[in-house]
Amino acid sequence: MSRDSFGSRFGALVAMAGSAVGLGNLWRFPYLVGENGGAAFIIVYIILSFLICLPIFISEFVIGRRSQKNAYAAFRDLSGGSGWRWVGLFTIIVPLVVLSYYSVIGGWSIDYLLKSCTFSFTGASGVNTMFTDLVTSTWAPLLAHTGFLLVTTLIVVVGIKDGIEKFSKVMMPLLFFIVIGIAIYSLTLEGAQKGIEYLFNPDFSKINAKACAAALGQAFFSLSLGFGTIMTYASYVDKKENIMFQSTATAVSDLMFAMIAGVAIMPAVFAFGLNPQSGPGLVFETLPLVFGQMPAGSLVAILFFLALLVAALTSSISMLEVAVAYLVEEKKFSRIAACIVLFIICWVIGAVCSLSFGPLSHIEIDGGNLFDFFDNLSSNILMTLGSLLTVLFVGWRLKKTDVYDEFTNGGTLSRNAKLFGVLWFLIRFVCPLAIIAIFVSGLIG
Ligand code: PFF
C-alpha cells in the first residue's frame, strides 16, 4: 500500500502550523511573558526562535523528508542502522507523554467552552474558585480529558490527507480569524494601552539565565521541536516543496500567533485591572474574570475557548501521529488498532495527571504534583535533549552532501543553496553550543 501524504502545499503548511500553534501560544506564551519581563522576554524569544529553533526545525524537516519514514526508521535508515535509532524511539515516546497531559488541558478548554455557552462567567460569584473547583474534582476533568483525546484519535484514525490535513485546513483559518477578532476588540477597551505597553516596552533588567532558558524551552515547545512531530509531518511532504519556505512560514505564523494572542489577552487583563502575572492560571482564572466584566463578554468567552480548543486539537493530532506512524510502519498495526492502543496509553497517563490536582494531589515529585512533573520533564528537559540530539545527528552524522541535496531539492533551489553555508554552521556549531549553554545556565541560575 502506498504511503499517505499531504495533498497540497497549503495543506502541509497549515498542518505544520497547526502543530506549532497550540496551547503553547495561547496559554503558555502570554503567562511566560508576564512572568519574565514583558517585551524584553519577547525580544529574546524572537532571537532564539530564528537563530536556534529555525535551524533545528529545518534539521527535523530534512530527516523526515529525506527518509519518508516514521521517526524511528528515519534515524535508523539515515544512519545506516546504528544506535541512533534509539533517538528515533525517544522522539516517539516523548510526544505521547506530552499528549497525555496536553489532553488534560485540552479537556479544561472543553469544560470552559461549555461554561461560556451557559454564561457561567457573568455574575462574578464562583468565578474566582471555578478553576480550582474544576481541577480538584474527579469526574468532570476526567470526562473532558476523555472527550478531547477521543476527538484527537478520531481525526488521526482517518489518515493524513483526509483527517489531519482536512481538519487543519478548515480550523487554522478559523483560529486566526477568531484570535485576530478578539485582539482587535481587546484593543478597543478603555485602558488597553497599559497592556500594550507591558507587552512592548522592554525591561532588560529581568533578562537573566533563567529567563533565557524559559524562552528557549518555550520556543521548542511552541515549534513542536525535539519530538518526532515535525519529522513525521515532513515525511508526508512532497519532494518538490521548499524546506526553507515551509519552515520559515511555520515559524513566522507561530510567532505571529503568539504575539496576537498576547495582544488579545494582555490589554483586556489590564483594562479590568487584573494581574498579568498569574502564571498558568492566566487563561483559566484571570480571563474568565475579564469576560465576566467586559461588554459582550460571553460571546468573546465562547470564541476564545473555542479557539483554545481548536488550537489544542491541531497540535494534539500531530503528537499522536508520530507514534501511529511508527506502529503502522514498523509493527504492522492497522491504523485503527494503533490508534486504539495509543488512546488507552495516553488516557491512563492523562488520567493520572488529571487526578494529580485532586485525589492524587498527595503524590509530590520535586515539590510539584504529577502534572507539573510531566510538564517540566518533557517540555524543559526531554524536548531540549531531543532537539540537541537532532541537530547533532544532522550536523555530525548525516553527510553534508545529503543535507545539501535535501535542503536544495537536488541543487535546484538557488536561494537555499546560497543560504546553506550559514545554515550548516548554525546546525553544527551554534545550535548545539547554545542549547547546552542556555540549558546549563538555566539549571544553575
Ligand atoms: N506546539 C504545541 C503548542 O505550542 O501548544 C505543542 C506541541 C505540539 C509540542 C506537538 C510538541 C509536539 F510534538
Side-chain angles (χ1 to χ4, degrees):
M1 208 177 78
S2 76
R3 208 166 177 265
D4 202 356
S5 62
F6 291 120
S8 65
R9 172 174 306 165
F10 179 67
L13 202 61
V14 282
M16 286 218 183
S19 171
V21 171
L23 295 170
N25 305 60
L26 278 166
W27 171 69
R28 238 158 158 258
F29 183 78
Y31 84 70
L32 282 177
V33 173
E35 281 176 351
N36 291 290
F41 178 83
I42 297 183
I43 293 174
V44 174
Y45 179 82
I46 294 177
I47 295 173
L48 293 178
S49 291
F50 287 93
L51 201 65
I52 299 180
C53 295
L54 185 60
I56 302 175
F57 194 105
I58 293 173
S59 302
E60 291 206 15
F61 212 126
V62 166
I63 297 177
R65 205 183 61 166
R66 183 98 190 146
S67 64
Q68 302 200 294
K69 300 242 167 75
N70 63 84
Y72 173 80
F75 275 97
R76 182 195 60 204
D77 295 358
L78 294 180
S79 68
S82 73
W84 278 101
R85 66 181 183 282
W86 300 115
V87 176
L89 200 60
F90 171 86
T91 65
I92 290 167
I93 293 170
V94 183
L96 285 182
V97 178
V98 178
L99 173 59
S100 308
Y101 78 79
Y102 203 85
S103 165
V104 174
I105 314 174
W108 299 342
S109 342
I110 297 185
D111 189 277
Y112 269 61
L113 178 59
L114 297 177
K115 282 193 169 89
S116 5
C117 292
T118 51
F119 309 113
S120 308
F121 307 137
T122 30
S125 77
V127 180
N128 275 321
T129 58
M130 193 178 262
F131 184 60
T132 319
D133 290 344
L134 170 69
V135 298
T136 53
S137 63
T138 304
W139 297 110
L142 265 189
L143 193 68
H145 155 59
T146 312
F148 182 87
L149 198 56
L150 196 65
V151 177
T152 302
T153 313
L154 288 175
I155 301 167
V156 173
V157 97
V158 182
I160 306 301
K161 201 181 288 125
D162 296 333
I164 293 176
E165 180 173 346
K166 268 204 181 133
F167 183 77
S168 311
K169 264 183 174 166
V170 177
M171 292 301 171
M172 286 308 287
L174 177 76
L175 187 60
F176 265 89
F177 284 125
I178 294 180
V179 180
I180 288 177
I182 299 179
I184 294 173
Y185 177 68
S186 187
L187 287 173
T188 64
L189 296 168
E190 218 183 301
Q193 184 62 24
K194 284 208 203 85
I196 292 300
E197 280 166 17
Y198 179 77
L199 275 176
F200 296 109
N201 278 351
D203 170 8
F204 283 100
S205 66
K206 298 247 177 63
I207 296 303
N208 51 24
K210 266 218 145 67
C212 290
L216 187 66
Q218 167 62 13
F220 284 158
F221 188 82
S222 196
L223 281 170
S224 313
L225 295 177
F227 297 173
T229 319
I230 298 306
M231 236 174 268
T232 307
Y233 270 13
S235 74
Y236 302 122
V237 173
D238 195 280
K239 285 279 185 192
K240 288 196 292 294
E241 298 303 337
N242 182 336
I243 293 185
M244 185 69 202
F245 169 76
Q246 294 246 352
S247 306
T248 314
T250 309
V252 169
S253 13
D254 186 55
L255 180 67
M256 264 172 45
F257 198 89
M259 305 290 278
I260 299 170
V263 175
I265 292 172
M266 287 306 174
V269 170
F270 277 87
F272 293 98
L274 291 162
N275 178 11
Q277 301 192 344
S278 53
L282 183 63
V283 160
F284 291 105
E285 290 178 301
T286 311
L287 279 190
L289 291 170
V290 171
F291 295 141
Q293 298 174 51
M294 73 172 27
S298 297
L299 177 66
V300 182
I302 294 175
L303 291 173
F304 181 82
F305 288 110
L306 179 67
L308 195 63
L309 176 60
V310 165
L313 278 172
T314 53
S315 296
S316 62
I317 52 180
S318 72
M319 297 186 221
L320 185 59
E321 177 58 30
V322 181
V324 170
Y326 168 73
L327 288 182
V328 170
E329 288 169 18
E330 300 305 307
K331 303 290 169 202
K332 307 297 168 220
F333 277 52
S334 66
R335 206 168 166 85
I336 290 198
C339 284
I340 294 175
V341 169
L342 296 168
F343 174 88
I344 296 171
I345 296 174
C346 294
W347 188 86
V348 173
I349 307 176
V352 171
C353 289
S354 175
L355 295 175
S356 74
F357 290 95
L360 299 181
S361 59
H362 55 281
I363 306 178
E364 282 199 358
I365 304 179
D366 211 12
N369 65 11
L370 285 164
F371 180 97
D372 296 333
F373 170 72
F374 282 122
D375 183 22
N376 275 332
L377 180 74
S378 45
S379 54
N380 292 335
I381 299 174
L382 301 181
M383 287 194 97
T384 310
L385 189 61
S387 300
L388 179 62
L389 291 168
T390 303
V391 272
L392 288 177
F393 180 70
V394 173
W396 296 92
R397 172 74 214 208
L398 293 190
K399 280 208 208 83
K400 185 177 178 183
T401 45
D402 287 346
V403 180
Y404 177 85
D405 186 61
E406 197 58 42
F407 182 66
T408 59
N409 292 1
T412 58
L413 300 172
S414 57
R415 194 170 304 150
N416 289 13
K418 282 198 202 108
L419 287 172
F420 184 74
V422 180
L423 177 72
W424 189 241
F425 180 71
L426 290 174
I427 291 178
R428 287 196 104 192
F429 302 105
V430 178
C431 292
L433 291 175
I435 295 173
I436 294 171
I438 295 177
F439 182 68
V440 173
S441 59
L443 281 186
I444 304 169

